[in-house]
Amino acid sequence: MKKTTTSFYDILGISSATFCLVHCLIFPVLTILPLGLIHNPIIDLIFASFGLFAIIKIIKKSSLLVSSILVVSMSLIWISILSEIMFEMHLELIYFGGIGMIIGHLLNYNWHKKQNH
């Protein structure tokens, strides 16, 4: 099987989106416990930056469907993060964006995997 750089970016994107989604789902539960943890949107910004880097590399070589899913998902994530930083308002868009990123990267990864066989 021939490896491509796109599959590397898909794996990076899948990993980043999965870690981000797990972080977003589990962290609110951890803040309830008296551990002294507070939410820092900079962590979300770091995950989003990795994801943005990955999708910029991927959308040039992917299908219109995958590109659309990734761009819309990344937009939802950035809107959510920036609204939290600027207005201190948490939007649930980040969850839908994270799920969309995972789906988009998995579709692209499987499409490239089929092409290389």
Side-chain angles (χ1 to χ4, degrees), residues 28-74:
V29 175
L30 292 177
T31 57
I32 295 171
L33 301 174
L35 300 174
L37 298 174
I38 58 170
H39 179 69
N40 188 348
I42 301 301
I43 293 172
D44 297 336
L45 199 58
I46 292 169
F47 284 126
S49 297
F50 282 122
L52 183 63
F53 174 74
I55 69 162
I56 287 172
K57 297 291 186 177
I58 289 171
I59 59 174
K60 297 174 187 173
K61 300 174 186 171
S62 62
S63 69
L64 180 61
L65 173 66
V66 170
S67 296
S68 300
I69 291 171
L70 292 175
V71 169
V72 169
S73 298
M74 184 53 69

Side-chain angles (χ1 to χ4, degrees), residues 9-117:
Y9 294 121
D10 282 321
I11 292 169
L12 175 67
I14 292 167
S15 302
S16 176
T18 303
F19 286 133
C20 181
L21 187 61
V22 169
H23 162 78
C24 290
L25 292 173
I26 292 177
F27 195 80
V29 175
L30 292 177
T31 57
I32 295 171
L33 301 174
L35 300 174
L37 298 174
I38 58 170
H39 179 69
N40 188 348
I42 301 301
I43 293 172
D44 297 336
L45 199 58
I46 292 169
F47 284 126
S49 297
F50 282 122
L52 183 63
F53 174 74
I55 69 162
I56 287 172
K57 297 291 186 177
I58 289 171
I59 59 174
K60 297 174 187 173
K61 300 174 186 171
S62 62
S63 69
L64 180 61
L65 173 66
V66 170
S67 296
S68 300
I69 291 171
L70 292 175
V71 169
V72 169
S73 298
M74 184 53 69
S75 298
L76 294 175
I77 291 170
W78 279 95
I79 289 169
S80 180
I81 293 170
L82 293 176
S83 71
E84 190 167 356
I85 291 172
M86 294 169 42
F87 306 118
E88 296 182 9
M89 178 176 57
H90 180 72
L91 300 176
E92 281 74 25
L93 296 176
I94 198 163
Y95 305 124
F96 297 109
I99 291 168
M101 290 291 287
I102 294 169
I103 291 169
H105 283 296
L106 284 173
L107 288 173
N108 196 50
Y109 180 78
N110 288 333
W111 181 69
H112 280 285
K113 193 173 168 183
K114 288 179 185 176
Q115 278 190 335
N116 291 330
H117 275 322

